[in-house]
Amino acid sequence: MDGGGGWGVGWGVVQDEDSRGRASGRFSRGEGVSSIVIFDIDGVIRDVGGSYRRALADTVEHFTEGAYRPSQWDIDTLKAEGIWNNDWEASQELVYRYFEAQGRSRSVSERESQDATADNAIMLDYEKLVAFFQSRYRGTDPTNWTGYICQEPLLLQPSYLDELTEAGIQWGFFSGATTGSARYILEKRLGLRSPVLVAMEDAPGKPDPTGLLDTIRLLNGADTAPVLYVGDTVADMHTIVHARQVQPDRRWIAVGVLPPHVLETLERRQAYAQTLEQAGAQIVLGNVQELGVEAIEELVRGEE
C-alpha cells in the first residue's frame, strides 16, 4: 500500500499504430484468452523494504517518541496475521501494541478517550500518523515527490510484460497502494500507458476479493479464463481463497513471491515461503520473472 507487499505484471492489449508492447488498452486476439494474471505491486513490482517499510518504521518510532523502531521481522510477523495490508493501519497497530505492552490501553471511541486517564490512555491521532508516514514516503512537497518512493528498486524488466502480451496473456494490477503511488511506479518508472489498476481508493482492502474481481472486469476477462494472482503477503493469498468462494466455477491460482528483504538467508526464505504456502499459495517464487509464459501455462494445465 501507500502502505502494504517480487514483481512483474501485464495484460494483453490492443495497440495503436504508433505503440507496441506496453501500450494501454484491452486484449483482443482471435484464439481467445488462455489466462489472466493480476499482480500486486509492493514487494512484487517494486522493492519497498527501503520505502514503505522504512516509512512504517519511522512512523512507529516517531509516535512512540523514539522508544521503539520495528524490525523487518516485527513487520513480517504483524503482516502474517493477514489483516494488515494497509501500512498506515499497520503503523498505528504497532504503536498501540507497544504502549499496551507498557500497561496502557487504547480507546475505541471518543467518549472512552475523554474518560480515560491522561497517563493511561493511548492518545493517537490517525490523520497525523498518516500525514507523517506520507511525509517520509512521498516527501513534504505534494507536487514534486522527493521521499523514499523515489528510491524504490524495480523488480522486473519491462520486456517481461511484452512477453506476456505477445503470448496472449491478459494482465493487470490490484494493489493496496494509493492510486498516486501505484501510478507513479507503473507509469513514470515502468512507462506503462494507462494501465488497468484497482488501488486503495477503488475497493475494500485485502483479503476482501472485491478489488481483484473488479480488475478482472476492467480487463473484460472471460468468465472461464483461469486467474493467477501474484502477491507477497498472507493477505494476498487469502484474497484468492475468498475469491474462490465467490466464484467457485473459475480456476483461481495463488502465486506467492518472496519479497527482497527475506532473501538474505536460506532460513528466512524457507520460513516466509512456508507462511505463504500455509496461507494458500500454490507455488512460491523468488522473483516474479520466474512466472514466465511456460510457467503460467504449466500452472494452468495443472489446475485442469
Side-chain angles (χ1 to χ4, degrees), residues 2 16 20 26 28 45 50 100 106 118 129-131 144 150 161 164 170 180-181 193 195 213 216 218 226 231 269 288:
D2 239 21
D16 300 327
R20 293 295 182 268
R26 298 296 183 275
S28 177
I45 303 300
E100 286 175 332
R106 68 178 85 186
L129 182 146
V130 171
N144 181 31
C150 302
L161 308 178
L164 297 186
Q170 292 184 282
S181 171
R193 296 185 180 183
L213 300 174
I216 296 167
L218 288 171
R269 291 197 300 270
V288 75

Side-chain angles (χ1 to χ4, degrees), residues 92 153 160:
Q92 176 182 244
Y160 169 77

Side-chain angles (χ1 to χ4, degrees), residues 158-176:
S159 57
Y160 169 77
L161 308 178
D162 296 334
E163 292 172 4
L164 297 186
T165 299
E166 291 166 4
I169 296 171
Q170 292 184 282
W171 50 273
F173 305 85
F174 169 43
S175 171

Side-chain angles (χ1 to χ4, degrees), residues 19-53:
S19 62
R20 293 295 182 268
R22 297 173 298 282
S24 62
R26 298 296 183 275
F27 181 83
S28 177
R29 210 165 167 162
E31 66 269 28
V33 178
S34 59
S35 58
I36 299 170
V37 183
I38 308 298
F39 297 84
D40 181 32
I41 293 176
D42 300 336
V44 176
I45 303 300
R46 58 182 172 192
D47 180 356
V48 296
S51 56
Y52 269 134
R53 283 172 168 255

Side-chain angles (χ1 to χ4, degrees), residues 57-103:
D58 287 353
T59 302
V60 174
E61 184 175 37
H62 177 77
F63 284 91
T64 59
E65 299 179 345
Y68 170 52
R69 183 178 182 86
S71 66
Q72 293 280 14
W73 176 260
D74 293 333
I75 298 170
D76 284 344
T77 300
L78 181 72
K79 288 183 175 290
E81 295 177 12
I83 58 173
W84 304 109
N85 193 64
N86 182 310
D87 282 351
W88 301 338
E89 295 175 356
S91 300
Q92 176 182 244
E93 183 63 18
L94 287 173
V95 172
Y96 276 139
R97 292 187 186 188
Y98 168 77
F99 283 119
E100 286 175 332
Q102 313 306 310

Side-chain angles (χ1 to χ4, degrees), residues 126-143:
Y126 183 68
E127 291 185 0
K128 289 183 178 179
L129 182 146
V130 171
F132 182 87
F133 185 108
Q134 294 295 77
S135 74
R136 291 296 193 268
Y137 181 66
R138 291 186 176 183
T140 56
D141 186 341
T143 59

